[in-house]
Structures are given as C-alpha cells and as structure tokens.
Amino acid sequence: MLSSCQAIAVFKDVVLAVAAFVGMLVAVSGLSTWNRQLKGSVEYELTRRLLKHTYKLREAIREVRYPLMSYGPADDVEGAAPMDREQKEYQGMVNAYRERWAKVIAARDDLRTEILEGEVVWDDEIHTKFNPLFAMQSELSNEIQLYIEVSDPQIRRDKRDELLDIRGGRRSVMYDMLGHAEDPFSDEMKATIITIESYLKPHLKK
C-alpha cells in the first residue's frame, strides 16, 4: 500500500503527464490551424495577383484593338537610307502598334509568371483556364502582323495579294467595335475572363 507521500508523488506524475499530453494536442491543433491560415493567405494573395494581371492583359488587348490611332511620320534612322513620305507614314504606324503591343507582352509575361506559381500551389489544371486567353492574344498578334506586312509600301504586288488571300480567310479581330456592331472577339474575351474568374474567385473566400 502506498504511503501518502508516495500517493502524492504518483498523482503529481499523472497530472504532469496529462498536462503534457493536453499541451501536445493544443500545439498540434494550433499548428494545423496556422497551416490552414497560411495556405489560405497564400492562395488569397496569389488569386488576387492572377486576377489583377488577367485584367491588365484584357485592357492592354483592348487598347491594341482601339480603332483610333494617332501617330506622325517616323524620323529617318541614322545610318539607314532616307525614307520617303509614304515610308515614314508607314513606319510611324508600325511604331505606334509596337508601342501598344509592348503593354500586351508585359502583361502577358507577368500573368504567366503568376500562373507558374499557381501550378505549384494548385496543379497544372490552371493552364487549361488561361490557354484560351493566350490563344486569343496570339490570334490578334497574327492579325496585326499580317496587316502591317500588307500595308508595307515596298511590298511586291504578288506578295500583297497572297497575304490578302490569307487574311480574307480569317475572322476580323483587329478592331474593337466599341459596342456599335457585333464583335465576336470581344464576346469571346468576356466569356474567357468569366471562366477564369469562376475558377479563381472561390480561393478569395478561403
């Protein structure tokens, strides 16, 4: 039979053991909660950046398609042959499109960087949500490039006719109709953005 001192010592040991076990449970629970909060914070910030860069790309594409463009004739390039008036006007137009398109490239590159992080946090399904947007950007790029080539005053007639045949077989995506006429490209862009939002926005609520 245990003496009173021995009983007290055993009781202390039991209390300490129970306290240590409870403390361990609390710590594990707290760590689990912290991990969930951290993951939620990471996903929230990543989602916010993805949406921001998506909208920046959308706006850059809209700017490229804006039908009014103001530009003047380009200056002669040092060390190159002097240009005539027609060539200077053409080069001014090329420079104006190049300036607009630079914003598209910057927005696209920023978005792709965030998508790679999204693949790390989630999985590669994220690419399937954004690929249609990049495909539309590529389609617009091809249309503008074709238009620039056709507009070159120095292009051969047979080459121009060949490019015009190619262009005639494609849908017109170069100009935003600004709500004055049907614009399937803009409608498709809106639908694509909605799909991206539907995929991303639930992560803002975690």
Side-chain angles (χ1 to χ4, degrees), residues 82-93:
M83 297 182 289
D84 60 25
R85 180 70 182 183
E86 188 178 26
Q87 290 172 321
K88 287 183 177 181
E89 288 288 345
Y90 168 73
Q91 192 59 48
M93 181 266 289

Side-chain angles (χ1 to χ4, degrees), residues 134-149:
F134 293 136
M136 295 187 71
Q137 176 229 310
S138 180
E139 181 184 5
L140 179 59
S141 175
N142 291 337
E143 176 77 0
I144 292 173
Q145 184 60 40
L146 191 57
Y147 173 77
I148 288 174
E149 291 184 38

Side-chain angles (χ1 to χ4, degrees), residues 116-154:
L116 288 178
E117 185 170 346
E119 183 178 353
V120 173
V121 174
W122 300 310
D123 54 50
D124 59 2
E125 181 189 7
I126 191 172
H127 292 283
T128 67
K129 307 301 179 181
F130 286 90
N131 285 341
L133 179 59
F134 293 136
M136 295 187 71
Q137 176 229 310
S138 180
E139 181 184 5
L140 179 59
S141 175
N142 291 337
E143 176 77 0
I144 292 173
Q145 184 60 40
L146 191 57
Y147 173 77
I148 288 174
E149 291 184 38
V150 168
S151 302
D152 188 347
Q154 296 183 320

Side-chain angles (χ1 to χ4, degrees), residues 98-109:
R98 183 178 294 132
E99 184 177 343
R100 285 186 178 187
W101 196 255
K103 296 179 182 179
V104 174
I105 297 302
R108 180 204 64 188
D109 290 348

Side-chain angles (χ1 to χ4, degrees), residues 40-78:
S41 177
V42 168
E43 291 185 345
Y44 178 90
E45 288 301 321
L46 176 57
T47 299
R48 187 186 61 81
R49 294 196 305 271
L50 281 164
L51 287 171
K52 180 183 73 173
H53 291 305
T54 297
Y55 297 149
K56 287 177 68 174
L57 179 56
R58 178 194 63 193
E59 295 307 306
I61 289 175
R62 281 179 176 171
E63 184 176 337
V64 169
R65 299 184 72 226
Y66 191 74
L68 300 180
M69 178 182 285
S70 177
Y71 59 89
D75 296 326
D76 287 322
V77 178
E78 185 177 352

